[in-house]
Amino acid sequence: MTSHLLLAFLVWISEPNPSHSEIYFERTAGPQSIEKLHHFSVNNGKLLNRQKRGWMWNQFFLLEEYTGLDYQYVGKLHSDQDTGEGNLKYILSGDGAGTLFVIDEKTGDIHATRRIDREEKAFYTLRAQAVNRRTGKPVEPESQFVIKIHDINDNEPTFLEEVYTASVPEMSDVGTFVVQVTAADADDPSYGNSAKVIYSILQGQPYFSVEPETGIIRTALPNMNRENREHYQVVIQAKDMGGQMGGLSGTTTVNITLSDVNDNPPRFAQNSYHLSVPESSMVGSTVGRIKATDADIGKNAEVEYRIFNGDETAMFVFVTDKSTQDGVIMVKKKLDFESKRLYTLKVEAMNTHVDPHFYYLGPFKDTCTVKISVEDVDEPPVFSLPSYKFKVHEDIELGTIIGTVMARDPDAISSHVTFSLDRHTDLDRIFHIYSGNGSIYTAKPLDREISKWHNLTIIATEINNPKQTTRATVFIEILDVNDNAPEFAMFYDTFVCENARAGQLIQTINAVDKDEPPGGQKFFFSLASVNPNFTVQDNEDNTARILTRRNGFNRHEINTYFLPVVISDNDYPIQSSTGTLTIKVCTCDSQGNMQSCNAEALLLPAGLSTGALIAILLCIIILLLIVVLFAALKRQQKKEPLVLSKEDIRDNIVSYNDEGGGEEDTQAFDIGTLRNPGAIDDKKQRRDIIPESLLLPRRTAAVPDNTDVRDFINQRLKEHDSDPTAPPYDSLATYAYEGNDSIAESLSSLESSTIDGDQNYEYLKEWGPRFNKLAEMYGSGESDKDS
């Protein structure tokens, strides 16, 4: 069974001449699909009937931005299987189905549930199908259709930038391109004029204009001057609907700046300037500044200054300050108030970058007059020359004037000048100068051979102002005179062989002279007297030869000859000197080589050279050093202690650095104690040290009277060895025991306190004059004691 589906859509479309129409779309299935469109229209009472070719049924239109309260009706689905009893169910699927688009499943009516914006989505693709309500099986094949949203003018044009910035050179011609602005409209450009944009200018006339269709902004006024107005704000409007009334519009702002061109020349603020400068100003110092103002900016305002008249001597120069474009006047040469007091300069200021397009505006330069007054200052003296050079012979007399320097005060009110010599340049005080006239004279003899040049510094000082001083250099050249005699150039070690023959050359001599004659050195050689053994032959080239005059010499008879040689020069006055040549007589071999010059025979063998002797001597010295070193090591080994351990302290030396009281000290030590141990309890306190009461004497056994001292010492040694309170380990106790076999007996006074009888020292005088003093000392002591 062939099914038929009838789809009917009701669409309202706004047209210029609307007319009421009804469209029925019918599709019949068969061997060949036949589509018929019956369009009945009533227009001016006439019935129109026409046959149309195949209809594209699957595309439908819907206006955007629906503003009604109800759902917007889209169309209706209807199947020829629908009997109206509700046996079919219509289903819609695809873009927005169920949300944006809903269908009445009984009637097939399709509605849009909300407003649709074409700019969000221009069309929707959906699928429709009719199914049996009871079984759910489709009764028609699924059909696909498109709902296209018809555009309305609901978007205004929008510029790509909110604010545009542009620049154009000043003085540009009318129609010069400035910038292009662009606005976009989101409406459909293919449907009506909703997206057709037209540009217009709302603000910025009459200076600028805009092309309606392109949005290009151009200059509209000639000769716009940046110096009058630099910034412009232009407002451009973009309107859709081709600019017709009712169209939507948008605006943007364009900030336009006129860029600078060199259309203004520099201008001085005044025609004449007056400056002043001290005459003492240094070269390169600043005199003052002037400025030519240029209304332009940047490189178009750069100015160059130059003097084109009034400075024939080139005393000044202009330099441009790049940061301020000021003309800086600087001193180029030394100024002198006394020479010229006023300079009148013609100065020109011109642009360095000139645009040929604006030559018609006139010359881009300006001129002015600058008057510079030179101020007088107290200047130091000025020498007539920056330096002086004098020549003088070395043999002039003391006090001779060798030259005069001159200086003056250049000021208008001149002051007298005095001269002095800087002694740092004449430490030997060879020269003096007259302070009044500047004449330099000698104070000590000159010697060219010591110093050929003298460089002096002369100081000129104003009397009225001693702080004003000037220095000048004086170069003094000492000229040579022939005041030195020639002499041997060196010491000659000359010898003659015993077997020499007459006329044999034994020495060639030459001479030197400290003088430097203009014609060069020339010496003559001769003997002071006739010599029978030797003669001198002048070579006439400042050298001479010494020749023998006889055959054979004997060193045992005469081993040395002294030959006086006279050397003279050829300058005026002639100077000469006599030099003595020492000639030794030596033994020579057959070749004339010297073997010995001593009278006695050589002790050393001839084959032993000096180098061999030095080597032998060095070997002997090295052997001696080895022996000395070995002996020192052996001695060091003997001095090493037997106990090397730091922990072993058995060997101790107790040192008491107590000095005795001399011969008169009878309390320091009593030898009688050694001989009479019983007296230890009654011993007297020492007077030379503080008593030590803390250490009590140790009680020892009594020693029998008249016991020999040696037995006493042995007994004490045993006591110390067995005493636990004695110093640890080994101790060294020294007893001043002289023995008991002395013929002269003891001379010590240590026993005097223990002997009952008086001593008689008269016998000391019998021993000779050496003991007289001792006898007097003890004899006088006894007499004092008796008294």
Side-chain angles (χ1 to χ4, degrees):
M1 178 179 179
T2 303
S3 61
H4 301 276
L5 176 63
L6 178 63
L7 295 161
F9 294 89
L10 180 61
V11 181
W12 292 269
I13 302 176
S14 176
E15 297 182 356
N17 297 314
S19 60
H20 177 70
S21 62
E22 295 179 356
I23 300 177
Y24 294 91
F25 179 78
E26 179 182 1
R27 185 181 68 177
T28 55
Q32 291 183 346
S33 266
I34 300 175
E35 296 179 353
K36 295 183 180 180
L37 177 62
H38 302 281
H39 190 173
F40 301 94
S41 178
V42 180
N43 188 6
N44 297 328
K46 296 181 179 180
L47 181 62
L48 300 179
N49 186 8
R50 64 171 178 162
Q51 186 77 24
K52 190 177 180 182
R53 64 179 181 270
W55 182 265
M56 296 299 295
W57 65 273
N58 58 348
Q59 183 172 347
F60 309 101
F61 296 92
L62 183 66
L63 289 176
E64 67 170 335
E65 301 296 343
Y66 173 70
T67 58
L69 299 178
D70 299 331
Y71 287 171
Q72 186 178 4
Y73 183 75
V74 179
K76 184 179 181 65
L77 291 178
H78 184 74
S79 173
D80 57 358
Q81 299 293 328
D82 190 358
T83 61
E85 297 177 355
N87 58 332
L88 296 182
K89 179 181 178 181
Y90 296 96
I91 299 175
L92 188 64
S93 61
D95 294 339
T99 55
L100 180 57
F101 300 102
V102 295
I103 187 171
D104 190 339
E105 60 181 16
K106 293 182 179 180
T107 63
D109 293 330
I110 301 175
H111 291 83
T113 60
R114 59 179 176 83
R115 297 172 58 182
I116 298 177
D117 189 358
R118 189 201 65 83
E119 286 69 36
E120 294 181 2
K121 192 174 181 65
F123 62 90
Y124 297 85
T125 303
L126 295 96
R127 295 179 298 278
Q129 190 175 30
V131 299
N132 188 288
R133 183 177 294 273
R134 287 185 302 104
T135 62
K137 295 181 178 181
V139 297
E140 292 285 348
E142 186 179 57
S143 298
Q144 179 175 306
F145 61 93
V146 175
I147 300 177
K148 187 174 183 181
I149 310 303
H150 264 179
D151 183 46
I152 64 172
N153 190 19
D154 60 343
N155 292 280
E156 69 277 0
T158 303
F159 285 93
L160 301 182
E161 298 181 20
E162 294 182 1
V163 178
Y164 289 83
T165 301
S167 64
V168 63
E170 63 174 332
M171 307 299 291
S172 297
D173 297 334
V174 175
T176 301
F177 174 84
V178 179
V179 70
Q180 183 177 11
V181 296
T182 303
D185 196 318
D187 293 327
D188 189 1
S190 63
Y191 181 75
N193 294 326
S194 298
K196 186 177 182 180
V197 179
I198 297 298
Y199 300 93
S200 62
I201 184 168
L202 301 182
Q203 178 183 322
Q205 294 176 330
Y207 308 104
F208 301 95
S209 63
V210 63
E211 295 182 357
E213 296 183 356
T214 62
I216 295 176
I217 301 175
R218 300 182 183 275
T219 58
L221 195 66
N223 299 328
M224 286 190 294
N225 197 337
R226 185 200 63 84
E227 289 71 31
N228 296 333
R229 182 178 177 183
E230 184 176 3
H231 301 288
Y232 295 86
Q233 190 176 73
V234 179
V235 178
I236 302 298
Q237 181 190 64
K239 190 174 184 180
D240 59 11
M241 298 299 293
Q244 297 179 7
M245 186 178 297
L248 302 179
S249 64
T251 60
T252 187
T253 300
V254 182
N255 294 324
I256 301 176
T257 301
L258 295 183
S259 59
D260 185 58
V261 297
N262 193 5
D263 58 340
N264 293 281
R267 290 286 181 263
F268 285 106
Q270 56 194 63
N271 295 327
S272 179
Y273 297 86
H274 192 86
L275 304 173
S276 60
V277 58
E279 64 173 334
S280 60
S281 297
M282 301 298 294
V283 174
S285 60
T286 300
V287 178
R289 290 171 175 255
I290 62 174
K291 185 173 184 178
T293 305
D294 194 323
D296 297 322
I297 60 175
K299 70 175 184 178
N300 297 320
E302 293 180 1
V303 181
E304 186 180 61
Y305 300 86
R306 72 179 184 92
I307 303 172
F308 67 91
N309 193 7
D311 190 22
E312 290 77 11
T313 55
M315 303 296 294
F316 304 94
V317 65
F318 264 92
V319 177
T320 301
D321 187 342
K322 298 300 182 181
S323 60
T324 62
Q325 296 302 315
D326 291 347
V328 182
I329 308 174
M330 304 179 70
V331 178
K332 188 177 181 181
K333 293 182 180 179
K334 187 67 177 176
L335 300 174
D336 187 9
F337 172 81
E338 290 70 27
S339 300
K340 191 172 183 178
R341 304 182 180 184
L342 180 65
Y343 293 87
T344 302
L345 311 178
K346 295 292 183 181
V347 180
E348 181 181 69
M350 63 183 69
N351 284 132
T352 56
H353 300 87
V354 180
D355 193 342
H357 295 90
F358 302 102
Y359 279 157
Y360 67 92
L361 295 178
F364 287 84
K365 60 184 178 180
D366 195 13
T367 60
C368 71
T369 301
V370 179
K371 295 182 179 180
I372 302 176
S373 299
V374 180
E375 298 177 349
D376 186 25
V377 296
D378 188 7
E379 298 177 275
V382 178
F383 281 93
S384 60
L385 295 173
S387 62
Y388 298 83
K389 181 179 180 181
F390 301 123
K391 295 181 180 181
V392 59
H393 287 90
E394 60 178 327
D395 61 345
I396 62 172
E397 298 180 358
L398 297 182
T400 302
I401 296 176
I402 61 177
T404 302
V405 298
M406 292 182 293
R408 64 177 183 85
D409 184 6
D411 296 324
I413 302 177
S414 179
S415 174
H416 188 66
V417 178
T418 60
F419 301 90
S420 61
L421 181 60
D422 186 354
R423 287 302 174 185
H424 292 90
T425 60
D426 184 28
L427 298 176
D428 296 331
R429 295 182 175 270
I430 299 176
F431 303 94
H432 286 325
I433 187 171
Y434 290 112
S435 61
N437 59 10
S439 296
I440 303 173
Y441 62 95
T442 58
K444 291 183 179 180
L446 303 177
D447 190 351
R448 190 201 66 85
E449 286 70 37
I450 297 177
S451 179
K452 186 177 181 180
W453 286 90
H454 295 274
N455 302 327
L456 309 179
T457 298
I458 306 301
I459 304 173
T461 306
E462 287 186 13
I463 293 181
N464 295 338
N465 187 3
K467 293 183 179 180
Q468 296 292 344
T469 61
T470 305
R471 295 171 177 260
T473 305
V474 176
F475 304 99
I476 301 176
E477 182 182 5
I478 309 302
L479 301 179
D480 185 42
V481 296
N482 193 22
D483 58 346
N484 291 279
E487 57 188 10
F488 283 131
M490 57 181 293
F491 173 78
Y492 294 99
D493 188 9
T494 307
F495 70 92
V496 60
C497 296
E498 288 182 313
N499 56 359
R501 296 185 179 183
Q504 183 175 343
L505 174 66
I506 61 173
Q507 184 69 57
T508 300
I509 59 175
N510 55 12
V512 293
D513 194 338
K514 295 180 180 179
D515 297 322
E516 294 181 358
Q521 301 283 3
K522 180 62 179 177
F523 304 124
F524 301 97
F525 300 87
S526 63
L527 294 179
S529 61
V530 177
N531 190 294
N533 301 309
F534 305 97
T535 184
V536 61
Q537 183 177 352
D538 195 339
N539 295 329
E540 297 183 356
D541 59 353
N542 293 338
T543 63
R545 296 185 296 171
I546 306 299
L547 305 175
T548 57
R549 296 189 65 179
R550 65 183 178 88
N551 295 327
F553 294 87
N554 191 342
R555 61 175 175 163
H556 297 286
E557 297 178 356
I558 301 177
N559 60 358
T560 304
Y561 292 90
F562 299 98
L563 181 66
V565 179
V566 178
I567 310 173
S568 58
D569 57 22
N570 66 339
D571 203 359
Y572 180 82
I574 295 176
Q575 299 288 341
S576 63
S577 66
T578 300
T580 301
L581 194 64
T582 302
I583 304 174
K584 298 179 181 179
V585 180
C586 301
T587 301
C588 303
D589 57 12
S590 59
Q591 303 296 328
N593 297 321
M594 180 186 66
Q595 292 183 342
S596 174
C597 294
N598 297 329
E600 59 276 1
L602 294 176
L603 297 178
L604 295 175
L608 194 60
S609 64
T610 304
L613 292 176
I614 294 174
I616 294 173
L617 183 61
L618 289 176
C619 292
I620 295 173
I621 293 174
I622 292 173
L623 290 175
L624 290 176
L625 289 176
I626 292 174
V627 172
V628 171
L629 182 60
F630 181 77
L633 292 175
K634 295 293 289 183
R635 180 177 297 180
Q636 184 67 24
Q637 291 177 358
K638 290 181 179 180
K639 291 183 178 180
E640 291 181 356
L642 297 176
V643 180
L644 300 179
S645 174
K646 295 182 179 179
E647 298 179 355
D648 193 349
I649 55 174
R650 288 179 299 175
D651 294 337
N652 293 319
I653 297 177
V654 181
S655 176
Y656 300 95
N657 295 321
D658 295 333
E659 297 183 0
E663 294 181 350
E664 296 179 358
D665 183 10
T666 59
Q667 300 296 329
F669 186 76
D670 191 356
I671 191 64
T673 305
L674 297 177
R675 299 184 180 273
N676 187 14
I680 189 170
D681 295 337
D682 300 328
K683 71 175 183 178
K684 299 179 181 180
Q685 297 291 337
R686 293 183 58 177
R687 293 176 297 175
D688 58 338
I689 61 174
I690 300 175
E692 296 181 0
S693 58
L694 298 178
L695 299 177
L696 297 177
R698 190 173 63 250
R699 302 296 297 179
T700 59
V703 181
D705 294 338
N706 301 324
T707 303
D708 188 77
V709 175
R710 182 176 289 105
D711 297 335
F712 170 78
I713 292 175
N714 293 331
Q715 183 178 354
R716 287 289 184 267
L717 180 60
K718 293 179 180 179
E719 292 176 359
H720 278 283
D721 290 339
S722 60
D723 187 3
T725 62
Y729 302 104
D730 296 337
S731 296
L732 179 64
T734 303
Y735 296 91
Y737 174 63
E738 299 179 358
N740 50 7
D741 293 332
S742 175
I743 299 177
E745 297 182 352
S746 176
L747 298 180
S748 174
S749 62
L750 299 178
E751 294 180 325
S752 59
S753 61
T754 60
I755 300 175
D756 298 329
D758 294 335
Q759 292 276 351
N760 186 7
Y761 299 100
E762 294 296 332
Y763 66 91
L764 295 176
K765 296 181 180 179
E766 299 176 0
W767 290 0
R770 294 184 178 180
F771 297 90
N772 289 337
K773 183 65 177 177
L774 188 63
E776 292 176 1
M777 291 175 57
Y778 284 92
S780 60
E782 292 296 329
S783 61
D784 293 340
K785 189 175 181 181
D786 295 338
S787 61

